[in-house]
Amino acid sequence: MSGHEPAAALFADRFGGEPDGLWRAPGRVNLIGEHTDYNDGFVLPFAIDRAAHVAVALREDRTVRIASTFEGGDTIETTLDDIADRRFSGWSAYPFGVVWAFGEAGTDLAAVRGFDLAVDSDVPVGAGLSSSAAIEMATAVALNDLWEVGADRAALARIGRRAENVAVGAPTGIMDQAASVFGEADAAVFLDCRTIEVEQVPLGFAAAGLALLVVDTKVEHAHATGGYRDRREACERAAKELGVPALRDVALTDLPDAEQRLDPVTFRRVRHIVTEDARVLRSVEALKEHHTAAFGALMYESHASMRDDFEISVPELDTVVEVARSRGAVGARMTGGGFGGSAIALLPADEADALAEAVVAAFAERGYREPASFRVVPAAGAGRLA
Ligand code: ADP
Ligand code: MG
């Protein structure tokens, strides 16, 4: 195993010897399609060139040990039986949640061997790039191989999602995990969240001289989880009132009727979801035809819809988008659940650094915390490295 592999080095340090293998799963950024996943709708994320790596070896007994290079964490030790009883907390809930979810999905946790797992990740935590899905999916692909479960990628994404839902207790959709397993170099993952049907859409940003810049506003709102839940509940209530299984089933042409039947706030929530689904479909068409400008315009529209109709933006995110627009970026929008986190901008690669600096200056002028910017490149999805 490569001496430059921090996960393997941590494995040797904590557990001794060589792991059975090394697996990788990336974080993701969502190009467009926000809050549509739990409405059975469409999303268009891509797997990024930052990933969690896990070095894993099976054991002869039922002990499970994990360690991470993250914040100098201690080694955590438990047993498969405790995990099967859902006894886990802290960051270990992500890998242990995956083990538990394998059990829920049919793997007999009484019959498999324990393991030692060391993880190292360069996905920034809490920046809206899904460091959590990276850990989950790296663990999932590793155990799928070592335990010879034979789950396909959609099944692994479902296992990761269950881990996230159980570990964090957040009723999130399947986008993050699906992006992490279905990603491909230079492509986005067009995902139908109802059927889990996936189509990889070639992006060609680099060939067109474009870069995707992520700006982490460092804003973390205390009510982010509550705000997310509130929007989710509003969507579920609206679907019920409109007599459809999910808002995915409301067409653009149904909106005037929906406006008559819903209170004004709920109607605006619905309008965001319905128009956002339409924007994802139009984005896929635009990207397939290399109409980058048309896709960029949809990014700006998506941001306006989240700011005005879904009301999940914050002034810092709006500032990033304003600055990007004023500097002529092809497109820009907030990305992720909202109430803070990151915004993305698509722009000529040689203008990315200047935009990052302009955003820092605009934030300083407005008295906001200093943001962090970095480029991300669409990269391959989860798999075995060695
Ligand atoms: P994100 O948007 O980055 O996914 P989350 O709050 O969903 O943010 O997940 C972040 C959590 O995932 C961290 O608080 C930690 O528990 C876990 N995590 C992420 N990366 C690592 C890592 N390298 N090692 C251990 N735990 C990690
Ligand atoms: Mg997460």
Side-chain angles (χ1 to χ4, degrees):
M1 208 128 309
S2 158
H4 299 296
E5 176 51 58
L10 181 69
F11 185 96
D13 178 57
R14 297 295 175 88
F15 309 127
E18 289 269 308
D20 295 339
L22 185 67
W23 290 261
R24 165 193 172 279
R28 64 95 188 96
V29 68
N30 192 21
L31 280 175
I32 196 161
E34 222 65 73
H35 285 258
T36 45
D37 62 349
Y38 57 78
N39 287 293
D40 274 4
F42 306 106
V43 293
L44 191 66
F46 67 69
I48 60 174
D49 54 332
R50 287 167 176 252
H53 288 195
V54 295
V56 192
L58 288 182
R59 302 170 53 93
E60 296 303 328
D61 59 15
R62 298 187 48 75
T63 298
V64 175
R65 295 189 295 178
I66 59 167
S68 172
T69 54
F70 179 65
E71 286 176 1
D74 294 332
T75 301
I76 298 169
E77 182 169 331
T78 185
T79 64
L80 288 167
D81 306 289
D82 273 357
I83 294 174
D85 288 342
R86 273 176 65 172
R87 278 198 282 272
F88 41 72
S89 62
W91 80 269
S92 73
Y94 296 95
F96 293 166
V98 166
V99 171
W100 173 84
F102 267 107
E104 185 193 50
T107 297
D108 183 1
L109 294 183
V112 293
R113 288 156 66 187
F115 59 89
D116 292 329
L117 177 150
V119 53
D120 175 68
S121 175
D122 65 356
V123 184
V125 171
L129 298 176
S130 212
S131 66
S132 56
I135 301 278
E136 288 153 8
M137 298 324 296
T139 305
V141 288
L143 293 179
N144 190 46
D145 284 353
L146 291 172
W147 285 344
E148 299 176 354
V149 177
D152 64 14
R153 287 188 289 179
L156 291 174
R158 282 196 197 90
I159 284 169
R161 178 199 180 167
R162 283 296 289 156
E164 180 100 25
N165 293 167
V166 170
V168 189
T172 53
I174 200 166
M175 168 170 68
D176 301 357
Q177 293 78 18
S180 185
V181 286
F182 285 107
E184 280 179 11
D186 203 24
V189 177
F190 171 40
L191 174 69
D192 180 332
C193 297
R194 171 166 279 168
T195 60
I196 319 296
E197 267 177 305
V198 163
E199 182 186 352
Q200 280 89 1
V201 179
L203 290 172
F205 289 162
L210 297 172
L212 196 91
L213 188 74
V214 176
V215 181
D216 179 1
T217 63
K218 304 280 179 80
V219 176
E220 226 179 292
H221 268 262
H223 62 275
T225 308
Y228 183 95
R229 270 178 208 278
D230 171 83
R231 296 302 184 278
R232 193 177 166 121
E233 281 162 16
C235 290
E236 281 163 9
R237 236 184 308 114
K240 224 173 249 162
E241 281 177 47
L242 296 172
V244 290
L247 293 184
R248 188 274 186 62
D249 302 298
V250 179
L252 283 172
T253 49
D254 296 331
L255 283 176
D257 173 59
E259 188 165 20
Q260 300 300 313
R261 296 168 61 180
L262 301 169
D263 68 84
V265 173
T266 306
F267 172 66
R268 284 191 285 113
R269 305 293 186 252
V270 170
R271 183 165 60 188
H272 166 69
I273 299 299
V274 174
T275 58
E276 186 79 351
D277 272 333
R279 280 187 290 272
V280 175
L281 298 177
R282 285 164 62 203
S283 293
V284 170
E285 276 172 32
L287 288 166
K288 282 181 177 171
E289 289 164 17
H290 309 292
H291 288 164
T292 319
F295 170 61
L298 291 163
M299 292 175 77
Y300 284 121
E301 281 177 36
S302 170
H303 185 77
S305 178
M306 289 187 280
R307 182 191 60 209
D308 303 334
D309 274 356
F310 219 55
E311 296 181 277
I312 54 171
S313 190
V314 292
E316 289 84 348
L317 290 166
D318 295 340
T319 299
V320 178
V321 174
E322 269 167 44
V323 174
R325 191 196 290 272
S326 73
R327 298 188 66 91
V330 177
R333 60 187 284 279
M334 56 153 281
T335 184
F339 308 101
S342 297
I344 55 173
L346 181 66
L347 76 174
D350 55 8
E351 290 171 25
D353 290 346
L355 174 59
E357 281 165 30
V359 170
V360 168
F363 272 44
E365 205 171 286
R366 296 178 190 194
Y368 302 156
R369 250 179 105 176
E370 186 168 338
S373 298
F374 38 90
R375 293 185 205 188
V376 289
V377 174
R384 188 169 191 152
L385 289 174

